[in-house]
Amino acid sequence: MNLVKSLFSLQPIGKRRAWSYAAAVLVATLTLLGIGKGLLEAYESLGSTDKLIKVSALLSGVEARAIPVTLVEVDDETRARWGNPVITPHKAIALMIRAAREGGARVIVVDLDLSGDSDSQPPAPELYNEIAHYPVDAPPLYIVRAIRFRGASQPGEGQTFLADSYRKTPYDSVVASGPNISWISALPSFGSDRVVRKVRFWQTVCDGAAGEAFPSAALAVAAALENQGQALKSFLDRQVAVECGGRAGNDIGGWPQHRRLEASIPFAFGNSAKTPVLHATGLDGRPTALLRRIGAWSLIGVSGDTIEARGEIDAGIFRDRAVLIGVTHADSRDIYATPLGSMPGVTIIANTVALAKVIAGTPAASPFIKNILAIAFFLIVAFIGIRFQAAPAVLLIGLAGFGTLLLVSRWFGFATAVEVIALGLTVFALYKIADSIVGIVVDWRSGRGWRAIFKERSGKH
């Protein structure tokens, strides 16, 4: 009874407490009107890691090294115009590859499953011939390999996964014989909240002590653009020797500078047309749009069994750009949560390709360096939290995060900067909990008893 009386005391309250109650009523009103949630999300995002990721490409100076990308997408409109086929017709894939190479693409990435319903299913003649007779002077062609995992369906942080095998396709033999055609992997890495912020930089599939390592699109494209084909082969052979053969993992360095299995994705664009898109520098030295998108229906017409190219294509769509071909329609079952909202897998790959040089060319800092930087960031945030009220503190913490991202990303790369900020904010959250517990204990021992769990009255001030 005494507890109830103390909680609902009719004693006069001070002006500060009265304003607190008024603020509570205002927040409740805004919530009922549907405004409060948006304000809260905007307020909290000032210090969130994902908000920092959204502006990271601008702050970390990656625009100068970005690769212009054209995304040829089998979207909802394409499916409707094509009569809603169950899979993307392989003849249409062949015609899209041909259009990209004849249009002057720098590299071509195909993110479509080419495996059949059975091992004995014959290939589509048009796609088989396109791959078998792919010109040696054509741009490198990378095709995503479907990899099976044992023990879990998808790779993610903090879990152990074993790549059991990969799905064979009717085109395996001709891909293997092509000097400028390769299989790649396209495996996102999930955080504990199922949000994709990283990509697996390569994926090894072991067969006893032997095996095969598939580079990610980012690793393969970076090697092609930097003439590091032999260095890429040596790097992948080493991964097979270590992961399958059990050899010592002593790393002698070299290319690529990023040599960890997971690589953070420096997102530059999302799946929405409203997403701010950076610019890249074309081979002619002029700025060009980093991302261009084109529906596959505008290139290829499909009507029943009749599949044909629609005619001449604007040369600017493909020339000197990385071209990605994949599905983005709602029924693809290949859509993931990212810091920039829901995004099809091929759009995630497009982000990694656009900034492939940045990912491959930035070494990750050692754990010790990251911890030191995270502690320094935490001390700054803790000082702000101690000296300022909540509203200005969140704003200042957000600004401190942006500044830290700007500096650390230029020294050690984007991935390290994001990890430093995430760790610093986590330590700050732990500090706030510990500080609250200490405050309760001190107040309890000072005579407030159980009332120490409440904020101290401000009196009539």
Side-chain angles (χ1 to χ4, degrees):
M1 183 62 69
N2 291 334
L3 173 61
V4 174
K5 288 181 179 180
S6 63
L7 289 175
F8 298 97
S9 173
L10 298 178
Q11 295 177 1
I13 60 176
K15 292 181 179 180
R16 178 66 181 85
R17 184 56 57 86
W19 279 109
S20 296
Y21 288 148
V25 173
L26 176 61
V27 169
T29 303
L30 292 175
T31 301
L32 290 174
L33 295 176
I35 302 174
K37 183 179 180 181
L39 291 174
L40 178 62
E41 291 177 349
Y43 181 81
E44 289 183 338
S45 69
L46 290 172
S48 72
T49 303
D50 284 354
K51 186 67 174 181
L52 299 173
I53 291 176
K54 290 182 181 182
V55 299
S56 63
L58 289 171
L59 293 180
S60 57
V62 301
E63 194 170 8
R65 292 182 286 169
I67 304 161
V69 170
T70 294
L71 176 57
V72 180
E73 50 187 332
V74 182
D75 53 10
D76 290 307
E77 184 175 2
T78 297
R79 287 197 74 218
R81 288 173 177 264
W82 286 1
N84 295 309
V86 177
I87 64 170
T88 303
H90 285 196
K91 181 178 179 180
I93 298 174
L95 293 176
M96 286 187 280
I97 293 173
R98 182 181 303 171
R101 67 174 173 82
E102 291 180 348
R106 296 172 71 178
V107 296
I108 303 172
V109 177
V110 178
D111 182 30
L112 293 165
D113 187 0
L114 302 184
S115 58
D117 295 331
S118 65
D119 292 343
S120 60
Q121 182 171 329
E126 298 82 5
L127 182 55
Y128 185 93
N129 289 331
E130 174 65 26
I131 297 175
H133 302 290
Y134 196 74
V136 295
D137 59 347
L141 172 62
Y142 302 109
I143 306 173
V144 171
R145 174 73 93 177
I147 299 176
R148 297 188 181 99
F149 284 81
R150 184 166 57 209
S153 59
Q154 290 285 353
E157 296 178 339
Q159 297 173 301
T160 300
F161 294 87
L162 178 63
D164 182 58
S165 61
Y166 53 79
R167 298 181 64 179
K168 295 183 179 180
T169 79
Y171 309 96
D172 285 5
S173 60
V174 288
V175 170
S177 62
N180 52 349
I181 307 175
S182 304
W183 294 106
I184 61 173
S185 67
L187 298 171
S189 183
F190 296 97
S192 58
D193 54 1
R194 304 300 295 172
V195 175
V196 175
R197 300 182 183 90
K198 296 182 178 181
V199 64
R200 290 171 78 87
F201 208 38
W202 71 88
Q203 180 58 57
T204 303
V205 179
C206 295
D207 182 11
E212 187 173 357
F214 300 97
S216 65
L219 180 55
V221 169
L225 298 181
E226 297 179 0
N227 297 317
Q228 295 288 351
Q230 187 56 47
L232 175 61
K233 182 180 184 304
S234 299
F235 177 77
L236 296 177
D237 288 345
R238 177 183 175 276
Q239 305 313 316
V240 172
V242 172
E243 299 177 35
C244 302
R247 298 185 185 178
N250 295 329
D251 193 343
I252 60 176
W255 192 95
Q257 290 181 282
H258 183 94
R259 306 177 75 84
R260 295 190 179 182
L261 180 58
E262 291 186 336
S264 293
I265 305 172
F267 286 98
F269 46 80
N271 199 46
S272 170
K274 297 180 180 179
T275 303
V277 176
L278 302 176
H279 284 82
T281 302
L283 293 181
D284 58 1
R286 298 179 180 179
T288 182
L290 180 60
L291 173 67
R292 289 177 178 169
R293 307 178 70 153
I294 180 171
W297 66 267
S298 64
L299 301 177
I300 310 298
V302 176
S303 178
D305 294 333
T306 303
I307 302 174
E308 56 188 4
R310 288 193 175 274
E312 293 186 5
I313 302 170
D314 180 5
I317 295 176
F318 299 135
R319 188 171 305 283
D320 299 330
R321 304 176 70 87
V323 177
L324 284 91
I325 302 171
V327 297
T328 61
H329 59 76
D331 295 332
S332 66
R333 297 183 181 180
D334 189 37
I335 298 176
Y336 308 93
T338 77
L340 296 185
S342 296
M343 196 179 299
V346 69
T347 311
I348 296 176
I349 297 173
N351 273 280
T352 68
V353 168
L355 298 172
K357 291 182 179 179
V358 176
I359 297 173
T362 305
S366 68
F368 176 77
I369 293 295
K370 285 192 292 187
N371 288 339
I372 291 296
L373 293 172
I375 290 173
F377 177 64
F378 155 70
L379 292 175
I380 295 172
V381 171
F383 174 80
I384 294 172
I386 292 171
R387 296 301 301 270
F388 293 89
Q389 293 281 2
V394 171
L395 177 61
L396 292 173
I397 289 172
L399 293 175
F402 289 140
T404 301
L405 182 62
L406 175 62
L407 294 175
V408 177
S409 62
R410 290 182 181 275
W411 293 337
F412 301 104
F414 165 81
T416 298
V418 172
E419 291 178 9
V420 164
I421 293 170
L423 179 57
L425 293 177
T426 299
V427 175
F428 178 68
L430 294 175
Y431 155 73
K432 293 295 290 184
I433 294 173
D435 182 61
S436 176
I437 293 173
V438 170
I440 292 173
V441 171
V442 171
D443 286 351
W444 189 296
R445 298 186 64 180
S446 299
R448 292 192 67 197
W450 59 266
R451 294 180 180 83
I453 63 175
F454 299 107
K455 287 186 176 180
E456 191 174 1
R457 287 183 179 273
S458 58
K460 299 181 180 181
H461 299 292

